[in-house]
Amino acid sequence: MTTSGVPLRPKRGRVRSTPKGRRADPLAHDEVRALLGDAPRRSDLLIEFLHKIQDRYGCLQARHLVALAAELKMAMAEVYEVATFYHHFDVIKEGDPLPPAITVRVCDSLSCELAGAHELLATLQSTLGGRVRVKHAPCVGRCDTAPVAVVGQHPIPHATPASVSAAVDAVDVKHPVSGTVTPGHIDYTAYRGSGGYALPAACVAGQKSAADVIAVMEHSGLRGLGGAGFPTGRKWKLVAAEPAPRLLAINIDEGEPGTFKDRYYLERDPHRFLEGALIAAWAVGLDAIYIYLRDEYHGCREILEREIAALQKDPPYALPAIHLRRGAGAYICGEESAMIESIEGKRGEPRLRPPYVAQVGLFGRPTLEHNMETLHWVREILEKGPDWFAGHGRHGRKGLRSFSVSGRVNKPGVHLAPAGITLRELIDEYCGGMPDGHELYGYLPGGASGGILPASKAGVPLDFDTLNEYGCFIGSAAIIVLSNHDTAAAAARNVMKFFADESCGQCTPCRVGTVKALELMKTKRWDAPLLKELSQAMMDASICGLGQAAPNPMLTVMKYFPKEVD
């Protein structure tokens, strides 16, 4: 017997009754089954299941990974490649020792470095290293309270050796909701009592048309506030034109160093963005909502779980399905296609894709992707009118921006200010000026990837497109302020180290380029021609925005702070 002229070998011996590969240990299989409960055994829930094992046992032992693969009917290699991709999973090979019961992570991203994170890390390693695991961590989204350490899942603001040691001694490793909810927090009952969810209910009842709502969003000038700045109304119109079924993916990964605005709103008014999401779902015709929340926001996750449950228990109308998915410590998942891969239970590697993600979306369906803050403004814009939002800008700009400000200012935090405000105005009017003995030296206008500008550019309006001519961009409006006690070169090295650590490794220009750039930046005098050539290769050939934007800080240092690196 042949197929296309190639003879087939006859089968020999008995046919296997069990699949090839390692068999699951019965005890481990029972433990995994108990953790999964009655959850459906689907591969898109793989990361959720890995979290259950990590939370329960403090690591991912080989025996549990084998059992999980068997339970999901997946290849062990598939489970292992996902588990080893994310920072927050501790994969332990057979025969290796288990990690300590408590892990202390000290954030060493730029804002925390300015506040003494390296000294804190060294002290904790010398004083706690014998009984707990102490390690550095990338940004944990709490730059306004730098330096920050996280004991287990419990963030310690303005961390000191004493405060961290006290949390370790008390085994205080959880982040209770009571420690996250702020005074004035609006829960579901209070939100409904103040008119919450009346607007989407009216939309569903036919009191508004989808076309009119989308037109209001277009007229308001609201743009995506996660960094890319795509016009919101236009995005809704594009996705609505795609064939059904359609989905909504909400990105709350917020891993950019210097950014913490989404956490700020989640801790105070979580239903505001949920209502915006329901309005978007109605206007665009979306069947389900997926919320992707960064893993570091443990308290926010508890809030969302509670408030979504309250909404679903007493809904204002028949709601679309709402799914809350948990990240696992990968900055790259802030990129929309990488986030979609992660929601699907895969490694968070960006996709090569068409101009907008709707065409290659979640589970192969057209997908509307939004940052949380973008949806936060939807209800207010529709209630107060598009001119209300557009009319808040300064210096010829339109709209409002939530600026995450950290570094050398007296009042770090989230400051709601007019779009187009200058850094000087922002510091003086909202941030209480700079600390005594500090003078403005430079600033990062768009987090780690937005470049670094000198004090002489502090009069440039802060908004979309206004910074492009200076080699910078505003991104998610994460402002990190440097003073005369700092150097721009050191700041650039810090963020390049972050990019080197966080590159997903999928493409060579980013994987190799960030590491090579960091090594070149450690010298006293930078090789400018070589760094510029390397930067061009990264910007031209990297798959996603991480590699494309990573050179911005070092390029702007060479342009605006040449005396530091010549």
Side-chain angles (χ1 to χ4, degrees):
M1 193 165 90
T2 64
T3 300
S4 302
V6 180
L8 296 178
R9 289 185 177 182
K11 293 182 178 179
R12 296 179 180 177
R14 293 181 301 172
V15 178
R16 282 182 175 270
S17 60
T18 57
K20 284 185 176 182
R22 295 177 52 177
R23 297 186 183 183
D25 171 71
L27 176 59
H29 209 155
D30 288 343
E31 291 170 340
V32 168
R33 284 197 188 106
L35 285 174
L36 271 52
D38 59 358
R41 277 29 175 188
R42 300 197 315 260
S43 61
D44 64 288
L45 295 173
L46 173 58
I47 294 172
E48 298 297 308
F49 296 154
L50 291 171
H51 275 303
K52 287 180 179 292
I53 299 172
Q54 175 78 36
D55 288 347
R56 170 62 180 83
Y57 294 100
C59 62
L60 300 177
Q61 298 177 57
R63 65 191 190 93
H64 287 137
L65 293 179
V66 173
L68 180 60
E71 188 70 8
L72 297 180
K73 295 181 172 57
M74 296 176 65
M76 178 60 191
E78 293 180 274
V79 174
Y80 185 80
E81 72 171 5
V82 172
T84 54
F85 180 84
Y86 295 94
H87 295 313
H88 293 176
F89 294 140
D90 291 307
V91 178
I92 306 299
K93 297 180 181 179
E94 287 177 315
D96 288 350
L98 300 182
I102 297 177
T103 295
V104 175
R105 292 178 171 86
V106 178
C107 175
D108 62 357
S109 289
L110 183 55
S111 298
C112 284
E113 181 181 90
L114 296 177
H118 289 307
E119 294 81 0
L120 176 64
L121 177 61
T123 300
L124 291 175
Q125 286 175 331
S126 64
T127 58
L128 297 178
R131 53 195 177 114
V132 302
R133 180 173 55 169
V134 181
K135 58 192 296 187
H136 82 91
C139 186
V140 296
R142 299 180 179 277
C143 316
D144 52 331
T145 58
V148 179
V150 183
V151 179
Q153 296 180 354
H154 189 183
I156 309 295
H158 304 297
T160 65
S163 62
V164 175
S165 296
V168 170
D169 292 340
V171 196
D172 191 0
V173 295
K174 297 293 184 183
H175 189 183
V177 173
S178 60
T180 300
V181 173
T182 59
H185 169 84
I186 303 171
D187 64 10
Y188 182 62
T189 301
Y191 192 78
R192 283 291 297 272
S194 62
Y197 295 107
L199 184 54
C203 291
V204 170
Q207 298 176 24
K208 294 181 180 292
S209 74
D212 288 345
V213 167
I214 292 175
V216 170
M217 298 309 299
E218 285 188 293
H219 184 65
S220 72
L222 178 66
R223 297 171 65 171
L225 298 174
F230 197 89
T232 300
R234 184 181 169 201
K235 183 183 280 191
W236 288 17
K237 188 177 291 185
L238 284 169
V239 179
E242 295 290 327
R246 296 175 286 267
L247 305 174
L248 171 60
I250 304 173
N251 196 334
I252 321 181
D253 190 62
E254 195 169 51
E256 181 81 13
T259 307
F260 45 91
K261 61 183 179 60
D262 292 349
R263 174 184 59 79
Y264 176 89
Y265 288 121
L266 281 175
E267 291 173 350
R268 290 158 176 79
D269 195 2
H271 288 282
R272 184 71 57 168
F273 96 90
L274 288 171
E275 180 167 7
L278 292 176
I279 293 168
W282 166 80
V284 182
L286 307 171
D287 293 298
I289 298 169
Y290 287 82
I291 302 169
Y292 188 80
L293 179 68
R294 74 176 302 188
D295 191 35
E296 290 85 349
Y297 290 172
H298 300 288
C300 292
R301 186 172 63 255
E302 291 189 41
I303 290 174
L304 274 179
E305 288 172 345
R306 183 188 66 198
E307 297 304 322
I308 290 172
L311 170 62
Q312 292 172 327
K313 184 178 180 180
D314 180 27
Y317 60 92
L319 304 175
I322 302 175
H323 306 277
L324 178 60
R325 293 294 176 85
R326 180 177 173 183
Y331 165 71
I332 191 65
C333 290
E335 196 275 341
E336 56 188 357
S337 67
M339 174 196 66
I340 285 173
E341 289 285 297
S342 191
I343 292 175
E344 292 179 354
K346 305 171 186 174
R347 295 163 62 93
E349 294 178 336
R351 299 172 177 176
L352 286 171
R353 54 189 174 82
Y356 61 101
V357 76
Q359 297 171 315
V360 286
L362 188 57
F363 304 117
R365 298 176 180 177
T367 301
L368 175 66
E369 186 271 343
H370 268 313
N371 170 257
M372 194 214 81
E373 194 203 349
T374 309
L375 296 169
H376 175 90
W377 292 111
V378 169
R379 172 188 169 184
E380 209 158 1
I381 288 172
L382 292 174
E383 288 181 340
K384 297 181 179 179
D387 293 333
W388 165 82
F389 184 81
H392 278 87
R394 284 191 192 176
H395 305 294
R397 310 304 297 179
K398 295 182 178 180
L400 286 163
R401 294 301 301 261
S402 300
F403 292 94
S404 303
V405 186
S406 60
R408 309 297 192 180
V409 294
N410 283 321
K411 294 181 181 178
V414 174
H415 299 287
L416 184 60
I421 194 172
T422 68
L423 180 74
R424 288 282 186 191
E425 293 169 334
L426 186 64
I427 292 175
D428 293 342
E429 297 176 27
Y430 292 84
C431 301
M434 298 187 67
D436 292 341
H438 290 263
E439 297 178 5
L440 180 64
Y441 178 67
Y443 65 106
L444 286 73
S449 55
I452 305 176
L453 289 174
S456 61
K457 305 297 182 186
V460 177
L462 297 171
D463 198 13
F464 295 115
D465 311 319
T466 59
L467 300 164
N468 295 359
E469 64 181 291
Y470 305 103
C472 297
F473 58 81
I474 194 168
S476 58
I479 312 293
I480 304 176
V481 179
L482 307 177
S483 79
N484 55 324
H485 293 260
D486 312 308
T487 68
R493 279 192 294 271
N494 179 285
V495 298
M496 187 60 73
K497 179 181 181 298
F498 172 83
F499 291 133
D501 288 343
E502 293 296 324
S503 173
C504 75
Q506 182 180 194
C507 65
T508 302
C510 177
R511 181 184 68 250
V512 177
T514 51
V515 175
K516 179 64 175 178
L518 180 59
E519 290 303 312
L520 292 170
M521 294 165 70
K522 289 179 180 178
T523 61
K524 186 174 181 180
R525 297 185 64 180
W526 291 7
D527 187 338
L530 183 56
L531 281 171
K532 289 177 181 178
E533 182 182 356
L534 178 61
S535 297
Q536 196 63 53
M538 293 171 64
M539 292 187 291
D540 290 344
S542 294
I543 290 174
C544 79
L546 192 157
Q548 294 164 8
N552 288 340
M554 68 179 177
L555 290 174
T556 48
V557 166
M558 290 187 286
K559 182 176 182 178
Y560 298 113
F561 304 89
K563 292 182 180 179
E564 290 190 19
V565 295
D566 281 349

